[in-house]
Each structure stands twice: as structure tokens, then as C-alpha cells.
Amino acid sequence: MRHPYKALVTGHSRGLGEAIARALLAQGIPVLGLARADNPALADEFDSLLVQVRLDLSDPAAVLGWLEGGGLAVFAADGDALLVVNNAGSLGPVAPPGRQDGAALVQAVSLNVSAPLLLCDGAMRVGCASVRVAHVSSGAARTAYPGWSVYGATKAALDHHARAVQQDAPPGLRISSIAPGVVDTAMQTAVRASAPEDFPRLERFIGLKAAGQLSTPEAAAGRLVAHLLSDAFGTEPVVDVRELA
């Protein structure tokens, strides 16, 4: 039976993005995965439901070119509703201003902000009667951390994008920016490798890992996908999965 939903998931090649894609695929929802690399394990498990496109999401010209080339429209053509999960993201330069690598800063803004906004806009152009957009945000969007000015600012941009788009109220669109909690992914490994002088809160995150207080990607993805598919999705523009009923 054809599923009424189709889903685009960015950064599906590993970590939380892989877990989100798997959770959707397991429900019979076709997934278009966008990432710099393919995911062979997902392809083996869900060959008939998974479409993979290698795309550098930190290159806005490449993202725009892919959208203008009709890739998303072709994928969504026979679907009643389109889900967009903007998961791909970068921690960016971890340092106070004056010690931030300029190229890494530009790349983080392009990946964390430009790509999700372009994909949201592109999703509204494909003609589906219903579109649901989930930005994967962070607690760092809502709490300032020293050393994370770039990461926090880019995630806060997603939160505010969701708030403003709700004010636009485009017909058929539901949107929410969702913080998934502290998830045990490669990004958390990078956090724990930060220099203490650049990230003064380092010991807190080392402690969370040591105490087993990190969520698994599968658990976080399960809560996120359940919310994405629920009637409650989009009623609040900014949510945290840890606060969902």
C-alpha cells in the first residue's frame, strides 16, 4: 500500500539523521536522504523505500541548483504530504570571537541555516497539499554557552524561522523547531574534544557521557518522529522532545 507521506531527511548518513530516517522507513514512509555520503546499511535494509542523493549542504549554490533541477519535485510528485527533517548540522568553530576560523564559521552558517531555509522554501513549491517541516534545533539555541556563539546563533535562527513562518501561515504548512536533547553522536564526541580554554563548559559534557546521561540516537529519533507524525505537530513553533507528553 502506498504511504501518503514522503520524507526528506538531511544528514541521513549517520547519527541522529540515520536514526530518524530508519524510524520513518520502518513505518513504510519513503525517504529521500541528502548528505555528502550514502548510507549503505539503510540502503540494504530499505532498498525499495530509500532514495539517496549526495549533496554538500554547506554549499548554498549546490542546494539551490539541486532544488531548481527538480530533484525534490520528482521525489514528492506522487505523495499526498511531504515531511522535511532538517537534521544536518555542524558544531562550527568552538571558540570566542577573535579565535574563530572564518571558513568554518561560513560553512556552519551555510549548513545550519541556509540549507534548512532553502529546503523549507523549496518544499512549498512542489505542490503537495500538506508539508511538515521539522528543524532539528538544540538547547544551545535557548541557553547561551561560552565558545558556542556560532552554533547557538545558527540554531536560534532555526527557532525564529519557525516562529516567523507560523506568522506567515502558508496554507498546508506545519513547522516546528525541535530540540532533541543531548544525543550520543559524533557531534558530542567533537564537543568532548574541545579545548577547555575555548569551551569552558567542557567538564559538564564529559560528565554527562560518563554518567550515561546522553540519549541514544534511536530514542531521540523515536520521540521526534512520533511528534512529527502527530496531530500536535506545528501547534508550537519551538519544542523540546524531553518536554513532550
Side-chain angles (χ1 to χ4, degrees):
M1 179 183 296
R2 183 179 69 88
H3 202 287
Y5 281 122
K6 286 194 165 187
L8 182 158
V9 179
T10 66
H12 74 293
S13 60
R14 61 178 184 169
L16 181 60
E18 179 179 13
I20 292 169
R22 177 172 278 109
L24 291 165
L25 289 162
Q27 297 193 46
I29 298 174
V31 169
L32 169 60
L34 296 183
R36 286 180 297 178
D38 290 339
N39 189 317
L42 282 181
D44 287 345
E45 191 173 351
F46 300 101
D47 178 60
S48 63
L49 290 176
L50 178 66
V51 176
Q52 302 188 81
V53 173
R54 292 189 181 187
L55 185 64
D56 184 356
L57 292 159
S58 68
D59 181 349
V63 177
L64 187 58
W66 178 76
L67 286 169
E68 291 178 342
L72 181 55
V74 169
F75 172 75
D78 60 347
D80 300 325
L82 178 64
L83 311 173
V84 177
V85 184
N86 287 310
N87 160 79
S90 167
L91 189 60
V94 176
R99 295 210 301 271
Q100 294 170 352
D101 178 81
L105 191 159
V106 170
Q107 183 181 48
V109 172
S110 297
L111 176 59
N112 294 2
V113 183
S114 296
L117 269 57
L118 283 169
L119 292 171
C120 177
D121 182 73
M124 291 303 293
R125 297 174 184 268
V126 300
C128 289
S130 173
V131 175
R132 295 188 175 200
V133 175
H135 295 322
V136 176
S137 184
S138 168
R142 303 148 204 184
T143 301
Y145 289 88
W148 280 9
S149 61
V150 174
Y151 181 66
T154 58
K155 292 302 184 178
L158 296 183
D159 285 4
H160 205 61
H161 178 257
R163 294 186 188 101
V165 169
Q166 274 208 350
Q167 295 296 309
D168 289 328
L173 177 63
R174 294 189 184 192
I175 187 168
S176 187
S177 192
I178 307 173
V182 186
V183 187
D184 197 2
T185 63
M187 184 176 289
Q188 279 300 310
T189 301
V191 168
R192 295 191 297 274
S194 301
E197 63 270 22
D198 289 333
F199 185 48
R201 303 284 180 86
L202 177 62
E203 288 302 320
R204 174 177 181 268
F205 286 85
I206 291 175
L208 289 173
K209 173 67 172 178
Q213 295 181 357
L214 302 183
S215 173
T216 65
E218 293 74 21
R223 290 192 291 269
L224 189 151
V225 168
H227 181 60
L228 175 62
L229 298 176
S230 73
D231 291 340
F233 181 80
T235 56
E236 294 293 334
V238 175
V239 299
D240 189 313
V241 298
R242 293 167 293 189
E243 298 171 358
L244 296 173

